[in-house]
Amino acid sequence: MTVDQHQPSSGGVTASRTCLICRTPFEPFMSFGRQPIANAFLTPDQFGSEFFYELKVGTCPSCHMVQLGQHVDPGLMFHEQYAFFSGTSKGMTVHFAELAAAMRERYLGGPDPFVVEIGSNDGILLQNYLGTPIRHLGVEPSGNVADVARAKGIQTISRFFDPGLAAEIVVQHGQADVVTAANVMCHIPDLHSVVAGIRSLLKPTGALVFEDPYLGDIVEKASYDQIYDEHAFYFSVTSLQRLFAMHELEIVDAEPQDVHGGSMRYTVRHRGSGAVSSRVATQLQRETAAGLARDETYADLRRRIETSRDELVALLRRAKSDGKRVVGYGATSKSTTVTNYCGIGPDLVEFISDTTPIKQGKVSPGTHIPVRPYTEFQSRPPDYALLFAWNHAREILAKERPFVEAGGAFIVYVPKVGILS
Ligand code: SAH
Ligand code: TMP
Ligand code: ZN
């Protein structure tokens, strides 16, 4: 399915007033107001047809799944001009090489092993199985990023994953030893259908291994920029356990990851087919202690987000009145929530530096800050770099030592607003 992201659609959003997992009615605990599509970088001729919706988030009083209150149509977000290429981060390339090796060791050592990845993007994970005896298949609806994977020799189907596609894969290739997915399960509102498809695709001995940004980290760090159109859900072990139980699957492992600002890697198997790690119970206890199932936690989160916004805007206004130049670092999808929620436009941030060619020469969604190539950051270094790509901080701060040594500084807002010394 390919839809031009800037074509006005018939509404383009679906309101969600009952939990997508257990159907209990819920009220959003917070609205971020009018927001554009997070990855829809655009050119001035598209301003007139820019798509907006209300970004709001709530938590289900019954199964405690944190989820959006409105869902943008998938075809408006994932298409032939999708702007996110996984391979732009060296850190993530290493992370996925390690994940591929771990899955190979644990689950792909039998005869004629087969792995299916949902949301395989440019092949950052599956490329590690090229030249091995492991058969692979990527499912990636965004045609442009899928083409990058195909050029590497990775078998890729450009479709949205669903039970129908799962059945076709089983007929053509057989059931899978591993189904894997990174930063995509949380993108799919119809999670029941995806889980049903995965269940039919997995061998009785197979494992689903997936990771997504973790609710516990979002609450702890008030990293509200994880909340945007693509992220339909904010998972915890508590909420996912309920979901998988409805499909006779169970979480057998939950391993915290330090990527994307704090993620969780879940391993899920057919119920009763594998030992359950003690990490699952440990994580559940931590979630209870962190209050992830309590309403007060989210009321407090909302207050901390509002404070973060006020402090960031005050800092940027001060920098401007002091005559300092501020440039954004990384035109991340996450930065769309921050700039639109805080009202940060080109008056406060001169441009955003980004290494992704498809974003360069365009402007940021909603707030229309120009996105410029990294060479411009290097040739005209600002006083302050506003670290929108804070989830890649380790990689970026190592790379930007010369910028800091020359007197530049980074402005950050997660977990606290401030200037890195
Ligand atoms: N796994 C990669 C890419 C994450 S971005 C990584 O972790 O870096 C999410 C990807 O999932 C996008 O490339 C998007 O096109 C794809 N996607 C979105 N909905 C999907 C669906 N229903 N089935 C399969 N892929 C989907
Ligand atoms: P992500 O936070 O969704 O992974 O997106 C990271 C964005 O930041 C992506 O557009 C590439 C950009 N980026 C840079 O411009 N420079 C860098 O050093 C890194 C790591 C990312
Ligand atoms: Zn629910």
Side-chain angles (χ1 to χ4, degrees):
M1 170 157 56
T2 303
V3 177
D4 183 326
Q5 64 196 19
H6 303 298
Q7 290 288 320
S9 79
S10 55
V13 285
T14 310
S16 180
R17 293 186 194 86
T18 58
C19 171
L20 289 175
I21 306 306
C22 74
R23 301 284 161 212
T24 306
F26 73 95
E27 285 297 325
F29 63 81
M30 167 145 207
S31 169
F32 293 90
R34 189 173 165 267
Q35 292 275 339
I37 289 174
N39 262 314
F41 295 86
L42 70 169
T43 47
D45 57 304
Q46 295 167 320
F47 288 176
S49 58
E50 194 170 11
F51 180 87
F52 289 92
Y53 69 102
E54 187 189 351
L55 176 63
K56 43 191 178 177
V57 64
T59 180
C60 170
S62 176
C63 75
H64 309 297
M65 181 66 85
V66 176
Q67 56 199 291
L68 295 186
Q70 287 217 41
H71 300 277
V72 174
D73 293 352
L76 294 178
M77 299 186 284
F78 309 114
H79 42 63
E80 297 292 334
Q81 282 123 45
Y82 186 54
F84 176 70
F85 289 72
S86 303
T88 48
S89 161
K90 291 204 173 54
M92 291 310 294
T93 306
V94 173
H95 174 79
F96 285 124
E98 287 168 0
L99 171 59
M103 293 194 296
R104 183 175 185 175
E105 165 136 358
R106 286 188 208 166
Y107 302 111
L108 294 166
D112 193 26
F114 179 41
V115 54
V116 176
E117 185 183 4
I118 301 171
S120 46
N121 199 276
D122 59 8
I124 190 168
L125 172 61
L126 291 180
Q127 65 193 4
N128 295 287
Y129 296 125
L130 290 171
T132 74
I134 297 165
R135 286 186 296 130
H136 70 264
L137 182 62
V139 178
E140 176 46 67
S142 296
N144 60 335
V145 294
D147 284 343
V148 174
R150 285 191 199 98
K152 295 177 185 169
I154 296 163
Q155 272 215 60
T156 309
I157 301 180
S158 279
R159 283 175 49 191
F160 287 90
F161 183 84
D162 62 17
L165 180 56
E168 286 175 46
I169 294 173
V170 173
V171 169
Q172 279 187 27
H173 305 271
Q175 283 182 311
D177 299 276
V178 168
V179 175
T180 186
N183 306 302
V184 61
M185 292 286 277
C186 74
H187 290 50
I188 308 176
D190 196 357
L191 205 48
H192 279 301
S193 108
V194 167
V195 174
I198 291 171
R199 187 172 194 280
S200 66
L201 181 53
L202 267 188
K203 281 183 186 168
T205 52
L208 162 67
V209 182
F210 73 101
E211 54 187 54
D212 280 293
Y214 177 56
L215 177 66
D217 287 289
I218 295 171
V219 169
E220 184 188 324
K221 298 169 193 164
S223 46
Y224 67 91
D225 55 349
Q226 294 286 7
I227 301 169
Y228 57 91
D229 51 3
E230 291 184 18
H231 291 171
F233 298 105
Y234 305 85
F235 293 147
S236 60
V237 181
T238 307
S239 59
L240 284 176
Q241 217 178 28
R242 284 281 291 271
L243 167 73
F244 288 116
M246 292 161 96
H247 294 267
E248 295 181 23
L249 295 166
E250 71 182 337
I251 300 176
V252 298
D253 209 348
E255 302 165 273
Q257 307 291 313
D258 65 2
V259 298
H260 285 311
S263 291
M264 189 65 73
R265 179 179 299 164
Y266 307 91
T267 304
V268 175
R269 306 190 73 175
H270 291 281
R271 189 153 66 203
S273 73
V276 178
S277 161
S278 61
R279 278 187 286 256
V280 175
T282 305
Q283 209 55 53
L284 287 168
Q285 282 159 10
R286 281 191 194 146
E287 291 181 0
T288 305
L292 295 190
R294 293 197 349 247
D295 285 350
E296 306 85 81
T297 302
Y298 300 96
D300 179 60
L301 176 63
R302 196 192 68 227
R303 284 191 290 271
R304 289 189 291 136
I305 291 170
E306 288 163 356
T307 303
S308 170
R309 172 195 60 194
D310 296 347
E311 290 179 359
L312 180 60
V313 171
L315 198 164
L316 292 174
R317 289 206 179 124
R318 217 160 42 236
K320 180 165 175 106
S321 65
D322 290 348
K324 305 288 190 195
R325 287 179 57 229
V326 179
V327 164
Y329 199 108
T332 56
S333 26
K334 292 186 295 297
S335 66
T336 296
T337 298
V338 176
T339 52
N340 285 275
Y341 172 61
C342 300
I344 297 168
D347 54 325
L348 293 176
V349 172
E350 189 178 312
F351 65 89
I352 306 174
S353 163
D354 197 283
T355 52
T356 317
I358 197 175
K359 297 181 184 176
Q360 296 161 358
K362 295 187 176 162
V363 299
S364 65
T367 49
H368 302 171
I369 304 169
V371 181
R372 311 294 312 157
Y374 176 56
T375 46
E376 208 149 317
F377 179 87
Q378 290 175 303
S379 62
R380 297 195 301 127
D383 300 293
Y384 294 118
L386 174 54
L387 189 55
F388 287 134
W390 60 268
N391 49 315
H392 302 292
R394 195 181 309 146
E395 178 177 344
I396 291 168
L397 297 181
K399 188 162 67 181
E400 297 304 341
R401 280 173 69 172
F403 164 67
V404 175
E405 279 160 14
F410 279 93
I411 294 175
V412 293
Y413 46 86
V414 173
K416 288 265 174 280
V417 173
I419 298 171
L420 288 187
S421 51

